[in-house]
Amino acid sequence: MFKRQRSKNSSSGMQNGDGTPPTIVENNGGKPPVSPVSRNTLQFYSQLAHGSPTAFVSGFSNVKELYDKIGECFDIPPSEILFCTLNTYKTDMKKLLGGQIGLEDFIFAHRKGRPKEVELTKSEDALGLTITDNGAGYAFIKRIKEGSVIYNIPHIQVGDHIEKLDGQNMVGKRHFEVAKALKDIPKGATFTIRLVEPMKSGFSSIAPKLNKTNGTKKGYGSGKETLRFKASGKAEIQEQDSMMDAGVEKINNILESFMGINDSELSAQIWELSVGKQNSMDFAESIDESDLAVFEFSDEIIIELWGAITDARDGRL
């Protein structure tokens, strides 16, 4: 349907943040401190999810730089961080750090835990996994479909990093590459998957506390402004956009349905490429002229994505 020439443009260079050095602060008796975030400082409170003092990080413009800053704060290699969640130390895939951070969000970094290898047979065409990645070289399991091949294997869990498939290193590969590698395993074949699970939490005192005055949880991310990671590498403060949020969520669902991947930053980039486009042909062309051409989206996916975008624009979501 669409005649498209796929080309990959080089993205612009990464922009430096404000360069403010990270500073360790006291944990205040386990109580969540008041966020110091402002337009000028852009500092975010952070802890290691399995337990640590509280620090605040600043001076980053993308996820990889954020991991570098967290590593500096806690004196660990950034490669030890599997992923981050917002406002919870639990391995809650609904709270994953993606393409944006609320200016009052509390960042919990999940560190590498124990490795494990599982041998299994691909008895169905689909394994039932949704794969996402941390934006810094680690792909991991975001969702396991109920009743799937993987569902009844207790050693494979949500949050596990997929490190190797039959000895082939998956570190440094994007989610769609890992998803394709899993899809390409022939039905009936037996293979070995090496996983690394996130380190388990050692305490629960860092969970959001109840407000004694009204009995409700403190809403860390209740602010209307968010720091969005842009495809150009520059992070920008933007007002919360409910129409965009609905569209990005729907786009993410489509990516999961068609490709078995989950990536809110990619979904936001697709949304941004639709801005100013009035039809699916123009939208397809904008995809092909961007660095997203590498995904080689089929016409069917393009049509589904455009439908989600128009539904969000018209308030049908």
Side-chain angles (χ1 to χ4, degrees):
M1 178 179 178
F2 301 113
K3 184 179 179 181
R4 307 195 297 273
Q5 294 181 350
R6 303 194 178 280
S7 60
K8 185 175 180 180
N9 298 333
S10 60
S11 58
S12 59
M14 301 299 182
Q15 302 294 316
N16 291 327
D18 60 12
T20 304
T23 304
I24 302 293
V25 298
E26 294 299 323
N27 195 19
N28 196 24
K31 297 181 180 179
V34 178
S35 172
V37 174
S38 72
R39 285 183 176 273
N40 295 324
T41 62
L42 285 181
Q43 296 167 334
F44 296 83
Y45 275 107
S46 177
Q47 285 182 332
L48 298 179
H50 65 281
S52 76
T54 303
F56 63 85
V57 295
S58 63
F60 58 90
S61 60
N62 57 53
V63 174
K64 186 179 183 303
E65 290 179 3
L66 170 59
Y67 288 0
D68 290 341
K69 293 295 183 180
I70 293 174
E72 289 177 16
C73 283
F74 297 109
D75 195 25
I76 62 173
S79 59
E80 281 289 302
I81 302 171
L82 289 182
F83 54 83
C84 295
T85 50
L86 300 177
N87 306 319
T88 178
Y89 66 93
K90 297 179 181 180
T91 308
D92 185 346
M93 296 293 105
K94 294 181 180 179
K95 301 291 187 179
L96 278 177
L97 185 152
Q100 65 183 41
I101 307 175
L103 295 192
E104 295 183 356
D105 282 346
F106 198 118
I107 302 169
F108 291 93
H110 296 255
R111 193 174 178 179
K112 280 185 177 180
R114 65 176 181 175
K116 51 195 177 183
E117 285 194 354
V118 181
E119 184 179 85
L120 64 152
T121 299
K122 189 176 182 182
S123 57
E124 301 291 341
D125 289 326
L127 291 168
L129 296 179
T130 297
I131 309 299
T132 189
D133 63 45
N134 66 357
Y138 291 160
F140 57 94
I141 300 170
K142 179 167 185 181
R143 190 173 294 114
I144 299 174
K145 185 178 180 181
E146 186 174 353
S148 65
V149 174
I150 302 294
Y151 184 73
N152 293 316
I153 302 177
H155 301 298
I156 300 178
Q157 300 175 345
V158 166
D160 286 350
H161 160 49
I162 301 175
E163 186 178 67
K164 292 183 179 180
L165 289 175
D166 273 340
Q168 182 182 359
N169 191 8
M170 294 290 114
V171 175
K173 295 185 181 297
R174 293 299 313 277
H175 43 45
F176 64 94
E177 295 175 297
V178 176
K180 184 178 186 302
L182 288 166
K183 184 178 181 181
D184 287 346
I185 296 172
K187 183 178 178 180
T190 298
F191 67 99
T192 300
I193 182 170
R194 179 177 170 85
L195 305 161
V196 179
E197 65 182 33
M199 192 175 290
K200 303 303 182 183
S201 174
F203 59 91
S204 60
S205 62
I206 56 178
K209 300 295 183 180
L210 294 179
N211 187 322
K212 293 182 179 180
T213 58
N214 57 19
T216 59
K217 288 186 178 181
K218 176 178 174 62
Y220 286 107
S222 58
K224 292 184 177 181
E225 290 184 322
T226 62
L227 182 71
R228 292 188 185 271
F229 298 121
K230 313 293 284 187
S232 63
K234 182 180 180 182
E236 295 180 357
I237 297 177
Q238 295 183 355
E239 293 290 330
Q240 189 172 7
D241 185 335
S242 58
M243 180 178 69
M244 175 180 176
D245 290 343
V248 167
E249 182 179 0
K250 182 64 175 179
I251 289 170
N252 217 354
N253 290 339
I254 292 171
L255 294 178
E256 180 173 342
S257 176
F258 279 87
M259 303 174 65
I261 64 174
N262 189 290
D263 189 332
S264 57
E265 186 175 359
L266 171 62
S267 301
Q269 189 176 354
I270 291 172
W271 174 271
E272 289 168 0
L273 289 171
S274 75
V275 174
K277 307 302 183 295
Q278 300 302 316
N279 56 64
S280 56
M281 294 292 289
D282 290 344
F283 172 60
E285 185 176 350
S286 70
I287 293 286
D288 291 334
E289 293 176 352
S290 74
D291 58 357
L292 300 191
V294 68
F295 287 92
E296 298 184 352
F297 293 133
S298 67
D299 291 343
E300 185 180 6
I301 296 178
I302 291 291
I303 291 170
E304 289 286 336
L305 292 173
W306 181 249
I309 291 163
T310 55
D311 283 348
R313 287 179 179 179
D314 296 338
R316 292 192 291 269
L317 300 180

